[in-house]
Amino acid sequence: MRWTDHKTVGLLYGVTALGFLLVGFLLMILMRWQLAWPGQPLPSWLAAGLGEANAPGGIMLPEFYNQLVAMHGTVMVFLAVVPLAAGAFANYFIPLQIGAPEMAFPRLNALSYWLYLIAGVIMVASFFVEGGAANSGWTSYAPLAVIATTGQNYWLIGIFLLGVSSALNALNVLVTIIQGRGPGVTWINLPFFVWSQLVTALLLLLAFPALQAAAIFQLMDRLAGTSFFLPSGLVIGGVPLQGISGGGSPLLWQHLFWFLGHPEVYVLILPAMGIVAEVITAHARRPLWGYGLMVAAVLFMGGMSMVVWAHHMFLTGMGTSLGTFFQLTTFIISIPSVILVSALVLTLWGGSITFGTPMLFALAFLPMFGIGGLTGLPLGLAASDVSLHDTYYIVAHFHYLVAPGTLFALFAGIYHFWPQITGRALNETLGKIHFWGSFVCMNLIFLPMFAIGLMGVNRRLWDAGASYAHAQPTLQWQTHMTYAAFALALFQLPFVVNVFTHARARRDPGSGIRDPQELSSGSRFPVPGSRTRPDTGTSAAKLGMWLFLASETMFFASLFSGYVMLRAGSVTWQDRFNGFPWLETLLLVGASAAFGPSRFRLIAANALGLTFIAIKIGTDALMLRNGVLPSDNLMLASWYTLTWVHAAHVLGGAIFTGWLAGPSFRMFEAERERWLARIDATRKYWLFVDVVWLAIVIGFFFI
Amino acid sequence: MIERWLPAAASSDAPLLDAVLMSVHVHMLLIFVGWLAVFVYALARFRKGANPEPRQPGVRGVWPALAIGAVIAGDVVILFALALPAWSGRNAPPPAGVNPVEVRVTAEQFAWNIHYPGPDGVFGRTDQTLVSASNPVGIDRSDPAARDDIGLLNILTLPVYRTVFVQLTSRDVIHSFTLNEMRIKQDANPGMTTRIWFTPTQTGNWEIACSQLCGLGHYRMRGEYHVVTPEEWEKWQADEVARLLP
């Protein structure tokens, strides 16, 4: 087994994501228990498991319930569903479907998986630190998250690492699809599954950096005492918050968060659409209806998903005109969803449909996604959002999209593709018990939530609303929903049994299932790594660097937009400090000028870059010692944050340049072409680092 | 169908906002039922038993386009004829000279501090350092304008048929000020004062809820609000002011 093999990475992603899915599921069971019998002691074995700190006398504390709220959402979205949909399925099946022997950058691909695992372990392990895990919702709104317990730091670091991981994965997916397509695989016969993964990867690559930037700002607020998200005059528990400058904006967090948060929804949905398209065409024995239309719809959806984010923020005090814009874009983005779901139904027309387990899951996805999608409409209109915002209605809405929606599609994919992975099919009887049980229970859990939400009962309440008179009629329903959740847990057992009894790869003779090796080995051809591909006019190395820089641009643009928004909104913006950093600027520009395809030039660039870092560390140490602190005002907070993030990029460039001059230099003779492609890509990186630096210093010293 | 679940519609904005909510749900229901009919028919008609071999050209003709066109038309009508006008109407300032009631609501973990200007209609000075159990808002009684100010915790009393202006803010984290029966839900952001207004049209006793996760006591950040007749309200105000005088 090679660790970098796309199938290995795909399987690792899949197994790990299923593990996290179980973690998220168990957190849900704990929440459901609490919601059914709020304030009553848990069973003693369960209370013992949670410990006295979280459940004194067996009664779950609100502090612990809030950790469950935050971590169930985080684990399910970031550690279970996305890695399964965009990690496991993408890595395993994209190369097979497009006839590529391997992902474009196998080592980066493996790195992506390990970063994901590390991030996940950090996040889940934070349950055991002082104060427990993050407890401010998966949305981590400031200032609540800024003043929260230590667990929030682990959450932020985890999110940052996940961002790096998904960028590496997305980069790989995009370059593999564009550069790795085998002979005869063109854009107009690319499987719809691959198109859906392509758009997903684009969204991850371009939207996730906004959340990473936000995570850095929040970490600075928590650890360095800055006030990016903290306005002036905060009084926490009757005590004024000391030692901070204030002046920041809590809404800045929401903008940055939802700039990722909304495209993330399509990251959850699009791969599911791709899988369902595969399963339905196979089991109805018909090609997709309206393939071109569907491809256009996902592309349009991907683009539009970047301009709908503030429909999560109608009630923050947004003006009417901005509200109108986001209501319009929200309605526009609903149209491609209607097209996709309609096209999938029309695909059935004229087919010869068999109802095996994968098909049942795929078919059930359609109405479940339909309910989830349609109930997004009243939430997307500010006038009706007022009644529904932050109630159980929205909980029902997004769970219909993701739980009986995307998860059903993923189960369809697991049952459907299992034979391709192991060489034999999963048991049908167990599969059908799993399907029908899950289908009924999911609806029993989520359908009542629409009514509870319409009645005005809010979500994220430790006691399910028992304190409120208007929620009294719904409390009994909560208990029934919890019983349904327990039943749902039981109905997952057939799946677990099925998977474990059919895990060992074997080929059933005469089963008609093709050897999985046969699928890929037939069309093996070398990935054109550094060589230019005639039909795309670029090489994998070049394209990879451009896409990486696009992601980096979004990252720095998000940091900058934070700086610009704070500066524009501040009445007391302190002027820049004296002393334009001429020396640093010269060193940096010198490093990129020196950079070139000879050992001497590489070493020179490396030395100049490291000198830049040394001077940056020296100046900042001096400034900090003289009491010029990031917590003094927002200008210094932005200056330190932006330049430190930039300096980390210079350090990365210097290290890579050192590697090119050192260990990688032997390629100069042996594999000149590949080595030159690396030099070429790294030069672009250095130029990018220069541009960022100039943007920062111009912004701080001249504008 | 939905109105039986909705809270009482007790403000002047409520009927229009509810009309948007209902019509969107009717629109959704029509789309879903129409789509589901096609879906179920297709599954029955083209199951392997009924159609052993797939037919090649599948759906032809214009009806898929017509169906999607109808959905879009419904979207457009709801958006432009109902939802956008309802929202901008609700955000448009009420006509001047309606003799409004002014209230300041300051949220904190986990309570609603409510400050009335009193009979003089002028908010007196407040000071954070004066906050105490008996003075939750921190009203500075040395300010002449503050003499008749009323500061209460978690209880909001309003007269029916008079427009209420609320100046909403927070001391610590983001809360969301929710009066379900008024169809009011507005984030209370620290460092920012948001002005909202509504006109109660029914008397009643209801609950103030917090809709934004605000910490461990979020579930119990509950207040009450009472909409009373104008006479009762005047009497309530007079009683509160009388209590202030030694």
Side-chain angles (χ1 to χ4, degrees):
Chain A
M1 185 172 81
R2 278 188 306 119
W3 289 102
T4 55
D5 183 82
H6 73 97
K7 284 184 182 170
T8 310
V9 174
L11 285 178
L12 286 171
Y13 255 115
V15 170
T16 313
L18 284 173
F20 281 119
L21 190 66
L22 180 64
V23 172
F25 192 84
L26 294 176
L27 298 179
M28 178 278 283
I29 292 287
L30 284 173
M31 285 162 84
R32 284 278 13 137
W33 205 304
Q34 166 65 20
L35 292 172
W37 303 286
Q40 291 178 35
L42 296 161
S44 54
W45 56 272
L46 199 54
L50 299 185
E52 274 299 296
N54 297 321
I59 296 169
M60 189 189 293
L61 288 178
E63 290 90 325
F64 184 68
Y65 179 76
N66 284 354
Q67 293 172 38
L68 295 177
V69 169
M71 294 307 288
H72 167 72
T74 305
V75 169
M76 283 305 199
V77 171
F78 292 110
L79 302 178
V81 176
V82 171
L84 200 52
F89 280 96
N91 278 305
Y92 202 98
F93 294 107
I94 288 175
L96 297 186
Q97 289 208 344
I98 64 172
E102 187 42 272
M103 297 295 277
F105 309 108
R107 276 178 293 182
L108 290 182
N109 210 26
L111 180 63
S112 148
Y113 166 75
W114 291 103
L115 282 174
Y116 151 62
L117 180 65
I118 292 166
V121 169
I122 288 176
M123 281 174 148
V124 173
S126 70
F127 270 109
F128 304 100
V129 303
E130 177 79 35
N135 55 19
S136 311
W138 83 286
T139 47
S140 284
Y141 275 13
L144 183 64
V146 176
I147 60 172
T149 47
T150 336
Q152 185 64 22
N153 294 341
Y154 292 80
W155 189 91
L156 290 165
I157 291 166
I159 281 290
F160 186 85
L161 291 177
L162 282 174
V164 180
S165 158
S166 56
L168 294 176
N169 180 46
L171 193 75
N172 246 307
V173 167
L174 287 167
V175 176
T176 306
I177 295 173
I178 297 170
Q179 293 296 110
R181 280 169 295 120
V185 183
T186 61
W187 292 108
I188 51 161
N189 64 13
L190 206 57
F192 179 73
F193 170 83
V194 178
W195 274 111
S196 72
Q197 291 284 358
L198 178 106
V199 177
T200 303
L202 259 178
L203 293 180
L204 281 173
L205 191 76
L206 298 180
F208 219 121
L211 183 55
Q212 288 177 289
I216 287 180
F217 283 147
Q218 201 178 89
L219 265 179
M220 288 295 286
D221 275 6
R222 291 177 54 89
L223 301 176
T226 58
S227 299
F228 288 110
F229 304 127
L230 300 178
S232 306
L234 287 184
V235 180
I236 312 290
V239 185
L241 211 55
Q242 300 290 345
I244 61 150
S245 66
S249 162
L251 292 187
L252 173 61
W253 169 269
Q254 296 186 27
H255 280 293
L256 290 172
F257 180 86
W258 287 117
F259 189 80
L260 160 77
H262 203 82
E264 185 79 1
V265 172
Y266 293 90
V267 168
L268 293 164
I269 279 300
L270 293 179
M273 290 276 187
I275 291 168
V276 167
E278 284 284 316
V279 176
I280 285 187
T281 48
H283 294 252
R285 297 174 58 203
R286 273 196 36 80
L288 277 180
W289 184 90
Y291 165 82
L293 188 66
M294 287 180 78
V295 170
V298 288
L299 288 171
F300 182 69
M301 221 170 175
M304 283 303 288
S305 75
M306 304 291 251
V307 287
V308 294
W309 79 90
H311 66 205
H312 297 267
M313 299 168 62
F314 286 142
L315 305 183
T316 55
M318 184 188 287
T320 313
S321 50
L322 203 58
T324 303
F325 173 77
F326 284 105
Q327 294 181 67
L328 268 174
T329 54
T330 303
F331 262 59
I332 291 172
I333 204 173
S334 74
I335 294 164
S337 307
V338 172
I339 292 177
L340 287 173
V341 177
S342 307
L344 287 169
V345 169
L346 294 177
T347 299
L348 298 169
W349 212 267
S352 176
I353 305 167
T354 47
F355 297 92
T357 307
M359 186 61 161
L360 289 175
F361 273 108
L363 290 173
F365 165 86
L366 296 174
M368 297 296 101
F369 174 80
I371 293 175
L374 287 169
T375 50
L377 294 179
L379 294 163
L381 294 173
S384 38
D385 185 43
V386 174
S387 303
L388 307 174
H389 196 88
D390 268 319
T391 66
Y392 268 89
Y393 191 95
I394 180 141
V395 179
H397 154 70
F398 62 67
H399 278 94
Y400 263 98
L401 287 173
V402 179
T406 300
L407 269 181
F408 276 14
L410 295 173
F411 279 127
I414 292 171
Y415 282 99
H416 179 74
F417 287 115
W418 195 266
Q420 282 200 31
I421 299 167
T422 64
R424 55 187 188 155
L426 288 164
N427 180 287
E428 270 294 302
T429 312
L430 289 174
K432 283 189 170 140
I433 297 171
H434 176 212
F435 167 75
W436 285 110
S438 302
F439 180 74
V440 171
C441 291
M442 287 274 195
N443 282 288
L444 287 176
I445 298 169
F446 296 119
L447 207 54
M449 289 191 185
F450 286 119
I452 297 176
L454 286 165
M455 290 166 81
V457 181
N458 287 327
R459 65 186 182 135
R460 292 168 165 175
L461 299 173
W462 169 77
D463 62 356
S467 315
Y468 288 96
H470 71 264
Q472 295 307 315
T474 65
L475 297 177
Q476 192 57 42
W477 303 358
Q478 294 280 4
T479 317
H480 296 321
M481 285 146 67
T482 296
Y483 287 127
F486 294 164
L488 180 64
L490 287 180
F491 282 116
Q492 303 314 301
L493 294 179
F495 174 69
V496 176
V497 171
N498 213 345
V499 160
F500 277 101
T501 52
H502 293 75
R504 195 177 307 156
R506 189 187 70 192
R507 228 172 330 138
D508 292 341
S511 63
I513 294 164
R514 288 163 69 196
D515 181 348
Q517 290 309 316
E518 195 184 301
L519 278 173
S520 55
S521 54
S523 55
R524 283 195 178 234
F525 78 109
V527 171
S530 51
R531 240 162 307 142
T532 301
R533 205 183 137 115
D535 58 341
T536 59
T538 185
S539 69
K542 225 181 249 176
L543 183 66
M545 184 45 82
W546 280 119
L547 289 170
F548 174 68
L549 291 182
S551 183
E552 286 278 38
T553 304
M554 291 303 284
F555 176 60
F556 278 102
S558 304
L559 288 172
F560 261 86
S561 70
Y563 158 72
V564 169
M565 184 168 157
L566 291 175
R567 186 166 170 174
S570 167
V571 277
T572 56
W573 188 263
Q574 187 184 319
D575 258 348
R576 61 185 175 269
F577 42 85
N578 288 326
F580 184 84
W582 286 113
L583 184 56
E584 287 98 317
T585 309
L586 279 175
L587 283 167
L588 199 61
V589 174
S592 11
F595 187 87
S598 79
R599 196 163 218 171
F600 172 73
R601 293 179 68 173
L602 290 175
I603 290 171
N606 169 279
L608 288 166
L610 289 176
T611 316
F612 172 91
I613 304 275
I615 288 180
K616 174 71 184 150
I617 291 174
T619 346
D620 282 2
L622 209 64
M623 273 168 70
L624 292 172
R625 229 179 58 188
N626 291 338
V628 186
L629 301 175
S631 55
D632 286 355
N633 57 53
L634 286 173
M635 188 277 290
L636 285 170
S638 318
W639 169 259
Y640 279 117
T641 309
L642 263 72
T643 53
W644 287 347
V645 171
H646 173 265
H649 280 78
V650 177
L651 187 63
I655 291 172
F656 195 75
T657 305
W659 180 74
L660 286 175
S664 170
F665 196 74
R666 59 189 154 74
M667 280 169 63
F668 182 69
E669 293 301 333
E671 292 178 90
R672 168 108 22 132
E673 195 189 12
R674 272 182 75 195
W675 191 77
L676 284 175
R678 278 181 188 171
I679 295 283
D680 195 45
T682 315
R683 181 188 285 118
K684 292 194 186 86
Y685 178 84
W686 276 109
L687 284 175
F688 174 79
V689 168
D690 282 0
V691 170
V692 170
W693 174 258
L694 291 175
I696 294 174
V697 292
I698 289 171
F700 274 83
F701 288 90
F702 295 110
I703 294 173
Chain B
M1 166 198 99
I2 280 170
E3 57 272 26
R4 54 185 280 246
W5 286 316
L6 289 178
S11 77
S12 58
D13 291 326
L16 189 55
L17 297 183
D18 287 1
V20 175
L21 191 73
M22 310 285 193
S23 44
V24 180
H25 278 86
V26 170
H27 178 56
M28 288 151 57
L29 199 69
L30 288 176
I31 297 174
F32 189 68
V33 169
W35 175 87
L36 199 66
V38 177
F39 179 59
V40 171
Y41 176 79
L43 292 183
R45 169 69 188 79
F46 299 105
R47 67 184 195 278
K48 195 179 180 192
N51 198 36
E53 278 305 312
R55 267 203 326 246
Q56 269 326 305
V59 181
R60 284 229 188 119
V62 292
W63 68 268
L66 286 179
I68 289 171
V71 170
I72 296 175
D75 281 359
V76 168
V77 169
I78 285 177
L79 195 61
F80 288 97
L82 276 165
L84 293 179
W87 188 243
S88 53
R90 194 268 185 52
N91 286 352
V98 286
N99 185 21
V101 179
E102 292 268 353
V103 193
R104 281 184 185 162
V105 174
T106 305
E108 71 176 313
Q109 291 175 324
F110 302 95
W112 303 99
N113 300 287
I114 296 168
H115 183 184
Y116 301 85
D120 67 352
V122 180
F123 286 105
R125 203 168 39 235
T126 55
D127 185 346
Q128 201 56 55
T129 59
L130 296 173
V131 171
S132 67
S134 61
N135 185 5
V137 183
I139 296 168
D140 181 359
R141 299 287 176 199
S142 66
D143 176 13
R147 288 233 123 102
D148 63 348
D149 283 16
I150 303 163
L152 292 172
L153 200 61
N154 293 332
I155 295 180
L156 179 64
T157 306
L158 302 168
V160 72
Y161 294 126
R162 268 175 73 183
T163 302
V164 184
F165 277 84
V166 180
Q167 294 174 33
L168 186 64
T169 188
S170 166
R171 278 183 197 152
D172 38 45
V173 302
I174 300 175
H175 304 272
S176 193
F177 180 66
T178 306
L179 310 175
N180 277 328
E181 295 72 15
M182 301 293 125
R183 302 294 183 269
I184 285 290
K185 191 178 284 163
Q186 177 64 52
D187 285 2
N189 296 300
M192 179 173 152
T193 299
T194 313
R195 214 168 139 83
I196 51 170
W197 50 90
F198 57 93
T199 310
T201 54
Q202 279 178 33
T203 57
N205 300 309
W206 296 297
E207 291 166 307
I208 307 173
C210 178
S211 297
Q212 187 65 267
L213 178 65
C214 59
L216 62 98
H218 171 55
Y219 72 97
R220 57 178 156 85
M221 190 161 162
R222 174 187 173 276
E224 289 169 15
Y225 71 105
H226 309 290
V227 178
V228 297
T229 61
E231 301 76 43
E232 284 170 329
W233 191 75
E234 294 296 343
K235 181 172 180 308
W236 165 84
Q237 180 169 262
D239 290 351
E240 287 293 331
V241 173
R243 282 204 327 187
L244 293 171
L245 304 171

